[in-house]
Amino acid sequence: MLETPDEVFEALRENHQRPYGLQRTVTAEELAEAAEQFEEPDALVTALLELMEAYEYTGEHRKSPVVFARLLKVWDDKPGAFSEWEAGQVFWRFKWVTTSLLQVPEVPLAAIQGWAGQMSERYREAGYGMQPVAAMRHRIAAHTGSGQLPAYDLWVTRPRERMSDCEACETRHRAVHHVRAGDDKRALDVWAPVLGGGQSCSEEPYVSQAQALLPLLRLGRTDEARSHHLVGYRFARGKTGMAEEVGLHIEFCALSRNEGRGLEILAENRALFGVAGAPLALLEFLTGVQVLLGRLVEDGYATAAVAGPLGRGWTAETLLAQVSGEADTLAAAFDARNGTTAVGDRRRARLSRSPLLAEPLQLGLRTAPAVAPAVAPAPVPQDTAGTQDIPGDFSALVARARQLDADGHPGDAVLWARIAERIAAEDHVHDPELGPEDELLAELARERAFTAYEDERWADGRAAMAEAAELFERAGLPWGVLVARARIASLPSAGGALDPGAWAELDAVLAEAEELLDETDADSRRHYLTVLQCRTFAARAEVITEMEELPEVSAPVRERFESLTAVSMAEAARLDVPQQVATTRTYAADLAARSGRLDEAAAELRTVLGIFETLDTPWRAQRAEALLGQVLLQQGHHEEAMELLRRAMAHAARFGDPHFPVARTHALLAHASSHTGDLAGAIRHLSEAAARFDRDGNDNGAAETRLELADILARSGQQADSVAVLESLVTEEASAALDDRILAQARLSLARGLRELDEHRASAEQFLLLADAVADWDEQVVHTLAAAEAAVALARSDRWDTARAAYDRAVASHAKGPNPGPVGEMMRQFAALTMAAEGPEGLDTALTHLADADALLAAVPSDLDGFAHWYEAGSIHYQRARALASAERFPEALAEMERAISTHDTGGPDGESPRAEAVRVAALIEANGLDSPDAAIARLTPAVTRCEDAGLAHAAKILANLRGDLLSRREE
């Protein structure tokens, strides 16, 4: 029980620090009730303002006007009970009440207009301008659709004044006006200061980011739309006061063909179905949900399970019916209240929209797939030599597939898949004109083996190829048997090495092939050369294994590859099969590239592409083009590399190559884009690569790609985007599929990203989860780092007891897995944070932390690789000086900062930047603490020149500005 006003004020201060939500709102209600007991209304005024704020930011718009009415009565009775700030808030919150009344359809329009009139009278009596009143009248007109243009003109032509909404919010309302008028370009031009970060407030740019999503998509500005969705939704997630914005993000997902992402957002925000305090916001949320559900039902997923209001299970169809009925009723209520059809018209316009993109906009997130692909992949355009027209006649279909296979055309895969479907049908009867049925079954088994090889499922590939060999044997086709045996023997095992006995089998197959060879028959020549190719492939696999496991490739292995390469190319030339020469040269180029002989690799690959061009077989070129692009990327020829990689992907799409590594090629294009300074292009390619890896079921590849994406986003200044991507990797479902080390890296990157956003509590949580995950690893250095960084994050979030426990955990871990850099940084940070929290009273504690840092540094070997003793020692001196200065022990502080300067001097060029910072603080101590501005100026003058000579222009400018301030002060 709170018995005095001071106790209520203290409780109000504590509650004000809580995030908006149920706990803060309930506590605010209790405190307002407690403040009623006192004769003087001072505490009640503060409590009512706090309660009204809690309602405003949690969507309780029904209750907010009631609270304001109580507040206004106190104002009329005892204006002296209001502080200057509180008096201003009375007039400021007239606007909140207007928007709250608009939210509730039961409030008559006349009452809302009357409220705007009262606001006008009170503003005039208090001497405030009418621009805020005009703004509120425009809000009413925009909502009802009646008199919008004159109301807009009356508002925007008046100058802003003290009680005007913040500039960012006014910018949003102006932009939304143009969106509703159908002028997306003008709207986005108006929005530029907010979306670009020049204007902001507690709600902006996040509300605008949601409102601008569809205009951006309509104008093709997809990179911006992606970013604003990632950042804007992350802010809105789970907030009951942002139901409308969440609905807009769900609608964006539906119209950008990201239905799976939309369903995830729906599941994360089920509580919004119960937002009874803000009916208009609820209507906007439900409409966004209905857009998503409508897309799913239309695409055939009516019975798919989806997240809806708590208490029962929902399908897309049943939830759509529920949402549609409830939203229709709400829209009708608003239109009845307003006497117009504006609310219903806007809703119907949203529901009539179709997806704005032909293919999904890749968001870069790890998103659970929708119930099934809501959009079928776009048809791949095929060359006339490919599979543009799939024969309907089964015999023609088989003949076409066999011809494409013989030509080495990747488009045969689509045809073999269609053949497999036809054979599996119950009414299928084999036509003897196609040859033995076992031959056709063998060809299908071989195709399954090829698919397994591409996915590196070696055991599955062997099994399928062995089945093919057996079927070819039964069909009486010896070349089919020999080629299948050669392919089985040339495959590496799961560990990468060839199986024992592989060469004996390959030798045996070659001997049989040489006996069977008929040089006058094209098919015989082709099969024989395939056997030779398998031998070269096996020799290549041996070289790669030794490259990965040994310091260098042994002479016998290297010589075998070179010998077999020479034989294969010579025989291909002798038998006039140039495409086989090209294939063997590609193997040689690949190994040259892996060995670092990039010029040799590039020359070989250009020769290969020349052969394909001469033969007019462009469908064979994409693998060589992609490899040459990768080589050029390593050589630093980024523009040419990008051209080759794009051409390779275009050929793969044109000729229907189902096994082309599209995901990996997008990742390579991202690297090239990054090197050319096109970070937006890199982000697009990495987002696409991650989505492709997802589609291929390569969870770790997708995660590694997203780690790269997060890094580039952070480097490009999009830290919140980066965090959104990383958060999608550490969900319970996503993390279960990842390698432990990849997940650990994701948590570390996320924790540091959250720290950059000043979300220290969330950062600490991720550091602690990382520490727990790696606690049993043999390399305890990771655990030491995680515990140390967790301790600092906890301290920054003012959770000192837990922070101290993490601090002790880091020190104990350091004894097992030494990692002095993070632990020393932790000790220095604790000293700084202690002084910030406790002031001079914390000096002894801070100095104890720094003494611990000294002891830790003294125990580090002088030759520890990668550890800069000078930096660590200088940083301890610097922090000790800062602590002493905060305690106003200025002579000791200056002496300690001198030690920091001299220690950083020993760091050479790397020490110049921290030295400049130490000089800056030393000058401040002299000028402000010791009242010696002349000494400070004398210190700064040579330091400015030194920074300029070292190329530290920014540091030089800071020191020069400080010197200028001190000179001005001296003249005064």
Side-chain angles (χ1 to χ4, degrees):
M1 179 65 180
L2 302 175
E3 298 181 352
T4 67
D6 286 343
E7 290 176 339
V8 172
F9 280 123
E10 180 58 34
L12 285 167
R13 278 190 289 271
E14 182 181 336
N15 194 47
H16 192 72
Q17 301 303 314
R18 293 190 174 101
Y20 294 114
L22 182 61
Q23 182 182 2
R24 178 168 174 172
T25 301
V26 170
T27 303
E29 289 172 337
E30 294 171 348
L31 292 175
E33 183 178 346
E36 289 273 15
Q37 64 183 300
F38 308 118
E39 184 176 346
E40 293 299 322
D42 303 57
L44 179 60
V45 167
T46 305
L48 291 174
L49 286 168
E50 169 66 23
L51 178 57
M52 192 176 180
E53 182 176 336
Y55 286 154
E56 175 72 15
Y57 289 102
T58 54
E60 292 287 354
H61 293 283
R62 289 183 184 275
K63 299 178 180 179
S64 187
V66 177
V67 177
F68 189 71
R70 293 172 64 190
L71 189 68
L72 204 56
K73 185 176 186 307
V74 179
W75 169 258
D76 289 336
D77 292 344
K78 288 192 175 182
F82 291 72
S83 68
E84 182 179 354
W85 179 84
E86 290 170 338
Q89 285 298 300
V90 171
F91 292 93
W92 182 269
R93 296 189 186 191
F94 265 97
K95 299 178 294 182
W96 288 13
V97 174
T98 303
T99 55
S100 291
L101 294 173
L102 282 174
Q103 281 274 346
V104 184
E106 296 90 333
V107 177
L109 185 62
I112 300 173
Q113 292 167 334
W115 183 262
Q118 183 182 164
M119 176 182 174
S120 176
E121 292 175 9
R122 295 227 181 212
Y123 269 48
R124 187 174 292 106
E125 290 172 2
Y128 293 121
M130 289 296 106
Q131 194 262 10
V133 177
M136 289 303 103
R137 294 193 188 282
H138 170 256
R139 303 292 188 277
I140 297 170
H143 170 70
T144 63
S146 178
Q148 292 182 74
L149 285 177
Y152 178 79
D153 289 339
L154 186 63
W155 164 45
V156 297
T157 55
R158 289 176 178 266
R160 287 173 47 77
E161 57 96 25
R162 180 181 170 190
M163 282 295 156
S164 296
D165 276 346
C166 83
E167 198 169 7
C169 289
E170 288 208 335
T171 295
R172 177 182 79 245
H173 287 295
R174 287 171 54 217
V176 169
H177 170 81
H178 294 303
V179 171
R180 290 182 174 178
D183 194 342
D184 288 338
K185 184 180 183 307
R186 186 174 181 186
L188 290 170
D189 288 344
V190 169
W191 247 321
V194 173
L195 298 178
Q199 297 174 1
S200 63
C201 67
S202 62
E203 295 182 343
E204 291 295 348
Y206 310 109
V207 175
S208 288
Q209 285 173 327
Q211 298 279 358
L213 289 171
L214 296 190
L216 288 166
L217 278 189
R218 286 192 287 260
L219 293 181
R221 293 164 60 173
T222 52
D223 290 345
E224 294 165 84
R226 176 195 300 110
S227 176
H228 293 321
H229 168 64
L230 294 180
V231 177
Y233 173 66
R234 190 171 177 274
F235 180 84
R237 179 177 58 204
K239 291 185 171 70
T240 55
M242 299 196 76
E244 176 179 355
E245 288 69 34
V246 172
L248 290 170
H249 283 285
I250 290 174
E251 179 181 13
F252 162 79
C253 291
L255 299 184
S256 65
R257 299 192 183 273
N258 281 283
E259 290 86 350
R261 168 71 169 166
L263 289 175
E264 283 189 350
I265 294 176
L266 186 58
E268 289 176 339
N269 293 275
R270 298 179 73 178
L272 295 184
F273 285 104
V275 176
L280 183 59
L282 176 61
L283 171 62
E284 303 294 348
F285 168 71
L286 293 175
T287 302
V289 172
Q290 188 173 345
V291 172
L292 172 66
L293 297 173
R295 296 299 316 151
L296 291 172
V297 171
E298 184 177 333
D299 288 335
Y301 307 122
T303 59
V306 298
L310 296 170
R312 59 166 287 190
W314 298 91
T315 65
E317 187 174 47
T318 58
L319 184 58
L320 177 60
Q322 170 72 20
V323 165
S324 174
E326 185 176 356
D328 283 345
T329 299
L330 278 172
F334 279 109
D335 283 345
R337 187 270 301 276
N338 299 335
T340 67
T341 62
V343 173
D345 289 344
R346 286 194 292 269
R347 169 172 156 74
R348 284 183 284 275
R350 288 177 69 182
L351 295 176
S352 69
R353 290 171 182 152
S354 298
L356 297 169
L357 303 175
E359 295 183 0
L361 172 63
Q362 300 304 341
L363 302 175
L365 301 172
R366 196 278 183 188
T367 303
V371 288
V375 180
V380 178
Q382 303 292 344
D383 183 76
T384 53
T387 59
Q388 187 174 29
D389 298 317
I390 297 178
D393 177 74
F394 187 70
S395 296
L397 178 64
V398 173
R400 181 68 168 154
R402 285 172 172 168
Q403 182 59 56
L404 290 179
D405 174 63
D407 292 342
H409 196 296
D412 70 328
V414 175
L415 302 185
W416 289 120
R418 184 64 58 86
I419 291 167
E421 292 174 4
R422 298 279 290 273
I423 287 180
E426 291 183 2
D427 59 349
H428 174 73
V429 178
H430 181 71
D431 183 354
E433 292 294 325
L434 296 174
E437 183 176 12
D438 285 334
E439 177 185 10
L440 188 55
L441 295 175
E443 290 166 325
L444 293 175
R446 182 183 61 195
E447 189 64 27
R448 293 198 304 275
F450 289 159
T451 299
Y453 295 166
E454 292 290 343
D455 296 338
E456 297 188 357
R457 294 183 286 110
W458 306 119
D460 292 343
R462 286 173 186 278
M465 195 61 76
E467 180 184 346
E470 182 179 345
L471 288 164
F472 279 128
E473 182 77 42
R474 283 170 24 191
L477 298 169
W479 272 122
V481 177
L482 288 178
V483 171
R485 285 172 56 195
R487 283 173 168 148
I488 294 170
S490 67
L491 285 179
S493 64
L498 295 179
D499 283 346
W503 284 110
E505 170 68 356
L506 287 168
D507 289 342
V509 170
L510 177 60
E512 295 179 48
E514 289 172 339
E515 292 180 5
L516 197 60
L517 174 63
D518 177 358
E519 296 184 8
T520 65
D521 179 68
D523 284 341
S524 181
R525 294 197 305 271
R526 178 167 59 89
H527 292 315
Y528 167 68
L529 291 174
T530 301
V531 171
L532 292 179
Q533 177 188 329
C534 288
R535 293 169 64 82
T536 309
F537 183 85
R540 169 182 169 273
E542 283 189 325
V543 174
I544 292 174
T545 298
E546 291 203 354
M547 281 182 173
E548 294 174 347
E549 297 178 356
L550 301 174
E552 61 181 34
V553 178
S554 63
V557 168
R558 183 179 65 253
E559 291 167 2
R560 172 145 55 192
F561 174 76
E562 292 171 353
S563 172
L564 293 181
T565 297
V567 169
S568 183
M569 287 197 292
E571 285 294 272
R574 183 178 70 83
L575 297 173
D576 193 25
V577 185
Q579 62 265 29
Q580 200 69 45
V581 175
T583 298
T584 306
R585 281 186 176 274
T586 303
Y587 291 162
D590 174 52
L591 290 186
R594 290 171 185 262
S595 302
R597 306 191 313 274
L598 300 179
D599 289 342
E600 177 186 335
E604 285 280 15
L605 290 166
R606 292 187 195 279
T607 300
V608 167
L609 293 175
I611 292 172
F612 292 145
E613 185 175 355
T614 300
L615 293 173
D616 194 23
T617 55
W619 57 83
R620 295 180 180 271
Q622 57 262 26
R623 304 301 176 104
E625 288 169 334
L627 182 54
L628 178 56
Q630 187 174 355
V631 170
L632 292 171
L633 185 56
Q634 290 177 272
Q635 290 180 309
H637 304 314
H638 303 119
E639 296 288 353
E640 188 181 0
M642 293 175 72
E643 180 184 346
L644 263 295
L645 292 168
R646 289 194 180 108
R647 190 191 308 167
M649 284 207 300
H651 276 147
R654 178 184 177 191
F655 300 118
D657 185 349
H659 304 306
F660 183 78
V662 177
R664 185 168 178 273
T665 305
H666 273 294
L668 292 172
L669 278 166
H671 296 158
S673 298
S674 178
H675 283 295
T676 61
D678 180 12
L679 294 183
I683 290 166
R684 284 194 297 274
H685 283 300
L686 286 171
S687 298
E688 183 66 39
R692 296 275 182 168
F693 279 126
D694 284 339
R695 201 175 305 165
D696 296 340
N698 187 345
D699 294 317
N700 288 323
E704 289 174 335
T705 302
R706 289 192 170 95
L707 286 171
E708 292 183 53
L709 172 60
D711 179 63
I712 285 185
L713 285 167
R715 286 195 283 117
S716 65
Q718 297 172 258
Q719 188 66 63
D721 303 57
S722 174
V723 164
V725 170
L726 292 167
E727 284 176 331
S728 75
L729 289 178
V730 301
T731 63
E732 184 176 353
E733 180 182 357
S735 60
L738 297 184
D739 176 84
D740 288 346
R741 294 186 179 277
I742 294 175
L743 178 58
Q745 182 60 57
R747 286 205 187 280
L748 179 60
S749 298
L750 174 57
R752 289 174 170 171
L754 290 165
R755 181 179 64 197
E756 291 299 312
L757 295 177
D758 292 329
E759 296 182 28
H760 297 297
R761 183 165 294 194
S763 173
E765 180 182 356
Q766 291 300 324
F767 277 127
L768 290 172
L769 287 170
L770 173 60
D772 291 342
V774 304
D776 295 330
W777 286 14
D778 292 337
E779 315 94 271
Q780 280 292 294
V781 291
V782 181
H783 178 256
T784 304
L785 176 147
E789 297 216 38
V792 175
L794 288 164
R796 288 188 181 279
S797 57
D798 203 29
R799 298 171 64 186
W800 282 96
D801 290 343
T802 335
R804 185 67 220 198
Y807 183 106
D808 294 340
R809 180 180 185 179
V811 172
S813 180
H814 175 68
K816 300 176 184 177
N819 199 348
V823 177
E825 173 69 13
M826 172 190 72
M827 292 170 171
R828 297 193 300 272
Q829 287 293 321
F830 262 63
L833 293 169
T834 298
M835 294 303 298
E838 301 180 20
E841 289 76 13
L843 180 62
D844 289 344
T845 302
L847 293 177
T848 298
H849 288 307
L850 294 170
D852 290 344
D854 280 329
L856 179 139
L857 181 59
V860 178
S862 59
D863 59 349
L864 181 63
D865 188 40
F867 187 81
H869 280 74
W870 64 266
Y871 175 79
E872 300 292 328
S875 297
I876 295 171
H877 289 307
Y878 172 85
Q879 199 58 64
R880 186 178 287 114
R882 292 291 299 258
L884 290 165
S886 295
E888 300 187 1
R889 289 166 55 173
F890 298 116
E892 296 169 80
L894 182 60
E896 195 66 20
M897 196 59 79
E898 294 281 11
R899 297 185 186 97
I901 294 169
S902 62
T903 304
H904 286 312
D905 260 336
T906 65
D910 291 339
E912 289 297 328
S913 182
R915 182 189 186 279
E917 167 61 11
V919 168
R920 182 188 71 86
V921 180
L924 288 171
I925 292 171
E926 287 176 314
N928 300 330
L930 297 174
D931 196 24
S932 301
D934 290 343
I937 293 167
R939 180 188 297 278
L940 290 167
T941 299
V944 171
T945 303
R946 180 165 176 161
C947 286
E948 291 171 342
D949 293 342
L952 300 175
H954 184 63
K957 183 178 179 180
I958 291 173
L959 296 181
N961 288 342
L962 176 57
R963 181 182 60 185
D965 290 343
L966 295 177
L967 286 169
S968 299
R969 193 189 312 173
R970 185 174 65 179
E971 291 172 2
E972 292 172 0

